[in-house]
Amino acid sequence: MTIQRYAVGAALCLLAAPGGVCAQQPAQRQLDSLGAEIRALKARLDSLRSALARAQRAAPVPVPKDTAAGDELAQLRAAAAAAAGTDTTRAQADTASPTRFIGRERSQPQLNPEISVTGDVRAYAQRPGIQRDNFDPREFEVGFQSPLDPYSSTKIFVSLENGTVSVEEGYAYWTGLPGHIRFDIGKFRQQFGELNRWHLHAVPETEYPVALRAYLGDDGLAGTGISLYRAFGGLGTHEVTAQVTRSASDAELFGGGARPSYLVRLLNFWQLTRSAYMGATGLYGTNPDSSLRTKVGGLDVRLTWRPPAQALYREWTLRGELYALRKEYAGAGTTHLGWYAGTTYKLGQRWIVGVRYDYVENPLSSLITRQITPTVTLWESEWVELRAQYAWARTAGLAASHQLALQAVWAIGPHKHETY
């Protein structure tokens, strides 16, 4: 239709104005159309410029950079990098890059506790006596440890010993209480002396000291109850522990009484050379059903020499404990004494030699037993420990006994050979 109109218009223009005057009109119309389009585009450009100017006026004014603070921060970074021996160029590149925030949501494996298993197997040969039970799978211990929440944690150790399953320890503890007090509740090995708190697979010999077994039970002193612990400074470092428990050793110590026992321990640490401390322990319990009152006192000392530059190859430890046990029936009783002194010396990174002397007065017969126990230990790694031990023991009025023992201790999991 437009072409037809254009052709008609051109014919009329030729008839009305011969000589080509109308030939210039289509070109003029095109120029007028282009001019109109240019004016429209210019109007749109002016509108966009006005909108951009309004947006810039609404934007916040940039704060000038504090170059002094930047220089000071750069100097601190350079000094820290020089002290740590790091590459300052790389450190500046790392700190100059934008901060990336990464989510740390706990996955299901992170909710599981740390699980450890420790095996303790022995082989014996003794004289005099008939050779029997020469191989003893002494204990297999399964440990579970985990934080419960930001305020508390738990430790549970299950013992598989001689075909029986028992809970050796199972307690929860809080460390961030007011006054820097730690609070424990559950079943735990009690803070009596130096070695009672240690699990058996971690002691320097194959068995606990003779006096500890005679006065506190074959497996040491453990109970179910509560414990309060506080450390403080001043002329050294000092620790106070107070425990109220229903002791698992009641049959030997308190005659099976149902009343609680009370334990207070004071430990002092003085940095003489590398490590030295002295501690005192008191225990008191009663059994009104048999008019029994039991009192146990203890004094323990340990001195450790560990040269800083040779800690993996040289270490010497000297430890000793004194026990005093008194059982009173209807206000009358006798005090019995027992003690031990032992030492260990690290010959190298793997080999450790030691010897322990035991002395104890039997609380029932009052007979005196003496024992000497030398040991040689191969610390193969943090997971495997092998030990050879000889024990000479003699009780007054009886012949001396001799025993040779071989022990293998291995561990899997994060617990390793911790003392507790």
Side-chain angles (χ1 to χ4, degrees):
M1 184 65 67
T2 304
I3 296 175
Q4 293 175 353
R5 290 177 179 175
Y6 180 80
V8 172
L12 293 174
C13 183
L14 290 173
L15 293 174
V21 176
C22 287
Q24 298 179 356
Q25 290 183 1
Q28 184 64 38
R29 291 193 187 98
Q30 291 180 1
L31 292 176
D32 294 341
S33 177
L34 290 175
E37 291 181 5
I38 292 174
R39 287 192 295 270
L41 291 175
K42 183 178 180 181
R44 292 184 61 184
L45 180 60
D46 294 339
S47 177
L48 291 175
R49 287 176 176 174
S50 300
L52 181 60
R54 289 194 299 269
Q56 290 178 348
R57 287 195 297 269
V61 179
V63 179
K65 185 176 179 180
D66 188 355
T67 56
D71 295 342
E72 184 178 357
L73 181 59
Q75 293 175 1
L76 290 175
R77 287 173 177 168
T86 57
D87 186 359
T88 57
T89 304
R90 182 177 180 180
Q92 291 174 358
D94 292 341
T95 55
S97 60
T99 303
R100 294 186 301 170
F101 296 94
I102 303 174
R104 297 298 184 186
E105 297 81 5
R106 297 186 68 182
S107 61
Q108 185 61 37
Q110 291 176 313
L111 296 175
N112 295 330
E114 296 179 353
I115 302 176
S116 307
V117 181
T118 302
D120 184 358
V121 177
R122 292 99 178 275
Y124 298 101
Q126 56 190 12
R127 186 172 62 88
I130 301 175
Q131 299 295 322
R132 61 164 59 97
D133 298 330
N134 296 91
F135 296 94
D136 180 19
R138 175 65 176 82
E139 183 184 38
F140 293 94
E141 180 184 275
V142 183
F144 305 88
Q145 305 180 54
S146 177
L148 300 174
D149 52 38
Y151 314 101
S152 57
S153 303
T154 185
K155 292 186 178 182
I156 300 174
F157 299 100
V158 180
S159 175
L160 292 78
E161 182 178 356
N162 297 326
T164 62
V165 180
S166 62
V167 178
E168 183 171 1
E169 290 192 280
Y171 59 92
Y173 60 95
W174 291 256
T175 57
L177 298 180
H180 304 286
I181 294 176
R182 167 170 166 162
F183 174 74
D184 296 33
I185 184 169
K187 181 180 180 181
F188 43 80
R189 299 190 63 85
Q190 295 181 248
Q191 292 282 4
F192 192 100
E194 164 78 0
L195 294 180
N196 181 78
R197 189 65 184 89
W198 295 23
H199 289 186
L200 183 57
H201 62 80
V203 298
E205 294 79 25
T206 61
E207 299 289 347
Y208 290 113
V210 179
L212 187 151
R213 287 181 281 148
Y215 295 165
L216 305 181
D218 290 337
D219 292 327
L221 185 62
T224 302
I226 61 174
S227 173
L228 294 175
Y229 166 86
R230 175 71 160 85
F232 55 94
L235 298 178
T237 302
H238 316 281
E239 301 178 357
V240 176
T241 304
Q243 297 177 337
V244 181
T245 60
R246 169 69 165 81
S247 176
S249 304
D250 283 345
E252 298 87 352
L253 201 58
F254 302 121
R259 293 202 173 186
S261 61
Y262 307 92
L263 183 147
V264 177
R265 172 175 169 81
L266 172 64
L267 187 146
N268 308 102
F269 178 89
W270 294 283
Q271 191 76 31
L272 301 179
T273 54
R274 292 301 302 171
S275 177
Y277 74 82
M278 175 180 295
T281 307
L283 178 66
Y284 176 78
T286 62
N287 183 4
D289 297 334
S290 60
S291 301
L292 170 65
R293 291 188 176 183
T294 303
K295 302 176 184 178
V296 185
L299 182 67
D300 52 276
V301 179
R302 183 175 75 174
L303 176 65
T304 299
W305 172 77
R306 185 184 299 116
Q310 305 178 38
L312 291 176
Y313 306 94
R314 290 290 183 271
E315 180 178 323
W316 174 65
T317 299
L318 175 65
R319 61 167 56 89
E321 291 187 63
L322 172 66
Y323 303 88
L325 171 67
R326 182 178 179 84
K327 290 187 176 182
E328 297 180 355
Y329 293 90
T334 304
T335 301
H336 300 277
L337 298 177
W339 59 275
Y340 77 87
T343 183
T344 58
Y345 183 78
K346 182 179 288 189
L347 298 175
Q349 188 173 2
R350 304 301 180 195
W351 292 97
I352 304 172
V353 296
V355 62
R356 189 185 72 203
Y357 177 82
D358 293 88
Y359 173 97
V360 61
E361 297 178 1
N362 190 290
L364 299 178
S365 63
S366 297
L367 295 178
I368 297 175
T369 299
R370 296 177 173 86
Q371 179 173 302
I372 300 176
T373 310
T375 60
V376 177
T377 302
L378 171 61
W379 187 269
E380 183 176 323
S381 67
E382 290 79 7
W383 294 269
V384 180
E385 176 185 11
L386 305 175
R387 177 177 291 123
Q389 171 181 295
Y390 167 75
W392 175 92
R394 182 173 183 178
T395 301
L398 301 176
S401 64
H402 308 267
Q403 183 190 75
L404 178 64
L406 301 177
Q407 178 186 24
V409 177
W410 64 92
I412 58 177
H415 184 52
K416 305 297 186 296
H417 298 299
E418 295 181 21
T419 55
Y420 53 87

